[in-house]
């Protein structure tokens, strides 16, 4: 990042939902080094997770930014609403989600509630802000209807999703687009304080990813355990990218939104959604 970007984040109040997950932990680390003050809103921290191993309490003492951990569920509207009202963030990164396709088959209702309704709870809570706020809502590259073609998908391509996870994320994109169109503006029921965009990425790899059904962690585990590795989809091709790559995009997107260098608005997803991938 350029020097201007480093200065921009100093002392910014940043709300990160899902901050103790894989990408959330990396994002928290990066923003701390830039001097931001992090307010994390997530389910309880998992034992032996990347977030726990990073030990942010020590980092808080090193004159970087600071981290405040709040245990909460984005499906509980009153709680997230009170938290937003209390901290009044400058920037929001929404990463809280049910992120596993396999889990979405086992518990589809939780997947839909978390990914769709949880996002709407957050957006509704942000309407009360009387100050400028940039909001980056993280979805996935799985929001597109699978055309089985060799081309990369564009932001304006058709949305879809056969499994509950993909479908819930595609629905999230529709909800975001509708919410921006309906509630961002200068009418009585609208707000002109929010600049909102969604960010689509997937197949992210990097240190500290301990989730299930991840091919790189599974490969490492199989080596350590001297077990055979089961490749679940041997004919599939994935555009892998390191976790710092999409995160750098999220940071630049948030800064651009905050500075109004881009203005998110509903327009067939062209101005409210951004792909981050190779």
């Amino acid at each position: 990042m350029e020097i201007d970007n480093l200065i921009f984040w100093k002392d910014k109040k940043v709300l990160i939902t899902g901050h103790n997950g894989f990408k959330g932990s990396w994002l928290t680390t990066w923003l701390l080094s830039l001097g931001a003050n992090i307010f994390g809103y997530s389910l309880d921290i998992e034992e032996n997770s990347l977030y726990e191993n990073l030990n942010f309490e020590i980092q808080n003492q090193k004159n970087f930014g600071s981290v405040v951990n709040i245990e909460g569920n984005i499906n509980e509207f009153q709680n997230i609403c009170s938290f937003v009202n209390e901290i009044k963030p400058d920037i929001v990164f929404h990463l809280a989600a049910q992120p596993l396709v396999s889990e979405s088959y086992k518990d589809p209702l939780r997947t839909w509630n978390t990914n769709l309704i949880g996002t709407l709870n957050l957006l509704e809570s942000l309407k009360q802000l009387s100050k400028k706020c940039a909001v980056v809502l993280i979805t996935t590259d799985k929001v597109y209807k699978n055309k089985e073609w060799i081309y990369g998908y564009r932001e304006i391509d058709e949305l879809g999703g056969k499994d509950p996870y993909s479908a819930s994320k595609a629905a999230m994109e529709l909800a975001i687009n509708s919410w921006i169109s309906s509630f961002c503006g200068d009418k009585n029921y609208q707000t002109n304080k929010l600049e909102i965009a969604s960010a689509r990425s997937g197949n992210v790899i990097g240190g500290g990813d301990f989730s299930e059904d991840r091919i790189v962690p599974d490969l490492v585990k199989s080596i350590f355990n001297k077990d055979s590795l089961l490749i679940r989809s041997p004919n599939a091709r994935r555009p892998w990218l390191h976790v710092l790559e999409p995160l750098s995009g999220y940071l630049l997107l948030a800064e651009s939104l905050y500075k109004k260098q881009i203005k998110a608005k509903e327009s067939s997803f062209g101005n409210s959604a951004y792909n981050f991938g190779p």
Side-chain angles (χ1 to χ4, degrees):
M1 284 191 169
E2 299 175 357
I3 294 299
D4 287 348
N5 303 112
L6 302 179
I7 296 173
F8 170 80
W9 291 99
K10 178 69 174 174
D11 295 326
K12 286 289 189 302
K13 291 196 289 185
V14 182
L15 167 59
I16 305 177
T17 69
H19 73 299
N20 58 24
F22 168 52
K23 282 201 289 186
S25 298
W26 278 97
L27 182 60
T28 298
T29 300
W30 197 338
L31 285 169
L32 270 178
S33 71
L34 297 176
N37 296 317
I38 312 300
F39 297 86
Y41 190 88
S42 300
L43 300 177
D44 57 327
I45 301 170
E46 294 185 6
E47 188 176 353
N48 294 322
S49 65
L50 172 62
Y51 190 89
E52 183 180 73
N53 291 331
L54 286 169
N55 200 348
F56 287 111
E57 290 184 4
I58 293 177
Q59 294 197 40
N60 279 351
Q61 302 171 13
K62 291 185 177 179
N63 247 1
F64 292 141
S66 61
V67 181
V68 175
N69 291 299
I70 298 297
E71 184 178 325
N73 190 324
I74 57 171
N75 290 325
E76 298 170 349
F77 174 68
Q78 292 301 329
N79 290 342
I80 186 65
C81 197
S82 297
F83 186 57
V84 167
N85 184 55
E86 178 183 350
I87 66 172
K88 297 177 174 58
D90 300 304
I91 312 282
V92 176
F93 293 99
H94 176 47
L95 286 85
Q98 192 301 95
L100 300 175
V101 173
S102 58
E103 186 63 27
S104 75
Y105 284 110
K106 299 174 186 175
D107 197 345
L109 287 182
R110 182 171 74 89
T111 300
W112 278 93
N113 278 327
T114 302
N115 295 348
L116 178 58
I117 304 303
T119 300
L120 289 172
N121 284 339
L122 175 63
L123 286 171
E124 192 67 18
S125 72
L126 292 170
K127 279 201 319 192
Q128 66 187 313
L129 292 178
S130 58
K131 58 179 286 188
K132 177 171 61 175
C133 182
V135 185
V136 177
L137 305 162
I138 313 304
T139 61
T140 176
D141 64 345
K142 308 300 186 295
V143 298
Y144 297 104
K145 185 174 182 179
N146 191 351
K147 303 285 190 176
E148 299 292 350
W149 58 30
I150 63 172
Y151 311 106
Y153 290 92
R154 302 164 300 169
E155 289 87 349
I156 59 174
D157 283 333
E158 183 180 4
L159 301 182
K162 292 182 178 179
D163 59 87
Y165 167 74
S166 301
S168 68
K169 285 291 193 173
M172 176 179 164
E173 288 280 359
L174 290 171
I176 293 167
N177 206 44
S178 169
W179 203 95
I180 293 171
S181 178
S182 300
F183 301 113
C184 288
D186 295 310
K187 297 179 181 178
N188 290 335
Y189 52 85
Q190 294 180 330
T191 175
N192 58 13
K193 303 298 182 183
L194 301 179
E195 294 295 331
I196 303 168
S198 65
R200 302 169 180 172
S201 67
N203 304 302
V204 176
I205 60 175
D209 183 4
F210 303 131
S211 297
E212 297 180 6
D213 299 339
R214 296 281 207 267
I215 190 169
V216 175
D218 287 352
L219 174 61
V220 175
K221 291 175 188 175
S222 71
I223 293 172
F224 273 98
N225 297 330
K226 298 182 179 179
D227 290 336
S228 298
L229 174 65
L230 173 65
I231 305 297
R232 290 176 296 276
S233 302
N235 296 320
R237 290 189 291 177
R238 295 287 184 266
W240 305 108
L241 67 164
H242 189 269
V243 62
L244 295 181
E245 295 181 289
L247 291 186
S248 66
Y250 302 166
L251 291 172
L252 290 171
L253 176 58
E255 181 179 351
S256 297
L257 286 169
Y258 191 85
K259 293 178 176 179
K260 295 185 181 293
Q261 293 171 336
I262 56 174
K263 187 172 180 62
K265 63 181 180 180
E266 179 273 330
S267 178
S268 299
F269 299 96
N271 291 359
S272 63
Y274 294 85
N275 286 338
F276 292 95

